[in-house]
Amino acid sequence: MVTEVIDRKHQEDLQRLRGFRLLDDDFLTKCFEGNTECIELVLRIVLDMPDLEVLDVRTQVFVENLLNRSVRLDILATDSTGRKYNIEIQRADRGAGRKRARYNSSMMDANLLKKGEDFNTLPETFVVFITENDVMGKGEPVYRIERCVLGTGERFEDGSHILYVNGAYRDETPIGKLMHDFSCTNPSEMYYGVLADRVRFFKESKEGIAVMCKAMEDMRNQTLKEGMQNVAKRMLADGTLSLEKIAEYAGLSIEEIKKLEAERTA
C-alpha cells in the first residue's frame, strides 16, 4: 500500500513536471540556479544590453529586515560592472504590484551599502518583473520605469530602475521570442537553445528529473510545515495549552514553538 502511494505521487510529480514552464517561478529558479548563461541571455534581451556579462546568479535569496517585512527574491544576479539585478516571475497580476517593486528595490539598496560607506558607492540596480499577463495593459513588450524631474522631464539618474516585461507579448523580435520560450512546456518548440537545453535537462534527463521531484517533495513538506505553524500560532493565541503540548500536537520541535511564541509577543 505504501509503495502504491509513493508510485502514484511519483507519477503525479512527473505529470506536473511535463506542464512546467519558465513562467512558473519554482521551475524557473531551478533552471536558473547557478546558471549565468541563461540569466545573461534574458537580461541582454530585456535590457537591450548585448554586451552585458553576468558573473554571479543566485536564486531564492532571502533578504532580511530585522524590524519590518523581509523579502525572498526569485533571482539575484551581478554583472561584470557590479550592477545588481532582481528578476521576479509573477503569474498573478496582484503579485506584481508597483509598491512591491518599490519595496524590492529598497531592500536591495539597504543590503548593498556597508556601514560607513559613501552613498555614491551604491551600485546601479534593476528590478525586473516578468508577468504572465500585460499588467500595464498598453501592449508594450517592456515597460521601463524611471524617476524623473517633474516640469523638465529630465531623468533623476539615481541608479535605480524598475522594468515590467509583458509575458503575453509575441512577435519575431528577440523579446517576443523570449516570451514565447517562457510559455513553452516543450523545449523542442523553444527558440533559444540555451534555455531549451536547460529545460530539457530538468524535464528529460534522469538527473534533472530527480532534482525536480525532490524539489516538489520539499515544497510539499514546506507547505505542510507552514500549515502546522499556523495551527501552532492559533494554539499559542488561545493560551490554554503548554508549549510542550502544542509542540506535540503540531509536530514541531519545542524550539520552533518557543520561536513562534517570541515572534507573537514581540
Side-chain angles (χ1 to χ4, degrees):
M1 181 63 177
V2 173
T3 302
E4 291 178 2
V5 171
I6 293 174
D7 287 344
R8 184 169 67 250
K9 187 68 69 176
H10 180 66
Q11 290 303 317
E12 290 172 356
D13 284 347
L14 291 178
Q15 184 62 35
R16 286 184 62 203
L17 179 56
R18 282 191 284 270
F20 279 163
R21 307 166 301 160
L22 291 174
L23 276 172
D24 297 302
D25 58 353
D26 292 323
F27 185 60
L28 174 102
T29 54
K30 273 298 173 188
C31 288
F32 283 23
E33 187 176 25
N35 190 299
T36 58
E37 194 175 10
C38 283
I39 198 62
E40 189 172 271
L41 170 73
V42 172
L43 290 174
R44 283 180 174 182
I45 293 173
V46 168
L47 299 174
D48 193 22
M49 295 181 179
D51 297 327
L52 186 150
E53 181 182 357
V54 173
L55 298 184
D56 178 70
V57 57
R58 291 179 289 149
T59 60
Q60 296 296 311
V61 179
F62 185 71
V63 182
E64 190 172 16
N65 185 336
L66 295 178
L67 298 178
N68 296 293
R69 182 169 180 172
S70 301
V71 296
R72 189 177 299 277
L73 308 179
D74 284 348
I75 297 173
L76 182 62
T78 306
D79 74 9
S80 57
T81 70
R83 291 176 296 204
K84 301 288 184 177
Y85 306 85
N86 165 218
I87 299 91
E88 297 289 321
I89 291 291
Q90 284 298 328
R91 295 183 58 185
D93 292 358
R94 57 183 170 79
R98 301 178 186 192
K99 289 190 176 180
R100 181 181 174 187
R102 168 186 164 187
Y103 195 68
N104 278 25
S105 180
S106 69
M107 287 293 286
M108 288 175 70
D109 283 345
N111 284 269
L112 288 173
L113 201 62
K114 295 179 181 179
K115 187 175 181 179
E117 284 188 321
D118 190 274
F119 291 112
N120 288 324
T121 64
L122 266 176
E124 198 169 1
T125 62
F126 296 78
V127 174
V128 181
F129 275 85
I130 302 177
T131 60
E132 182 162 24
N133 304 310
D134 181 7
V135 296
M136 297 291 184
K138 304 297 183 182
E140 294 293 321
V142 180
Y143 301 91
R144 302 171 186 270
I145 294 90
E146 301 284 347
R147 289 189 177 95
C148 70
V149 180
L150 296 178
T152 68
E154 294 177 290
R155 286 172 57 172
F156 190 53
E157 300 288 5
D158 63 347
S160 65
H161 314 273
I162 294 173
L163 297 93
Y164 281 80
V165 184
N166 175 7
Y169 190 81
R170 300 288 186 276
D171 65 9
E172 293 303 309
T173 63
I175 189 68
K177 291 179 178 179
L178 182 66
M179 290 303 97
H180 165 273
D181 285 4
F182 264 64
S183 295
C184 274
T185 59
N186 185 351
S188 299
E189 297 175 357
M190 298 173 77
Y191 286 103
Y192 293 102
V194 63
L195 298 180
D197 289 344
R198 196 65 173 157
V199 170
R200 187 174 292 110
F201 170 76
F202 284 108
K203 288 197 173 196
E204 298 178 7
S205 75
K206 183 177 180 180
E207 181 183 353
I209 290 172
V211 169
M212 285 307 305
C213 285
K214 183 181 184 304
M216 285 185 274
E217 182 65 26
D218 290 344
M219 283 186 280
R220 278 194 295 270
N221 291 337
Q222 181 61 31
T223 299
L224 178 61
K225 183 174 182 178
E226 289 172 357
M228 296 316 296
Q229 287 175 336
N230 289 332
V231 170
K233 288 176 182 178
R234 291 197 293 271
M235 291 179 180
L236 289 167
D238 184 73
T240 59
L241 294 173
S242 68
L243 299 186
E244 289 75 15
K245 278 297 181 184
I246 293 174
E248 178 184 345
Y249 293 154
L252 300 171
S253 69
I254 187 66
E255 289 76 18
E256 288 174 304
I257 298 301
K258 288 179 179 178
K259 183 179 179 182
L260 291 174
E261 174 68 356
E263 291 172 354
R264 189 182 72 86
T265 57

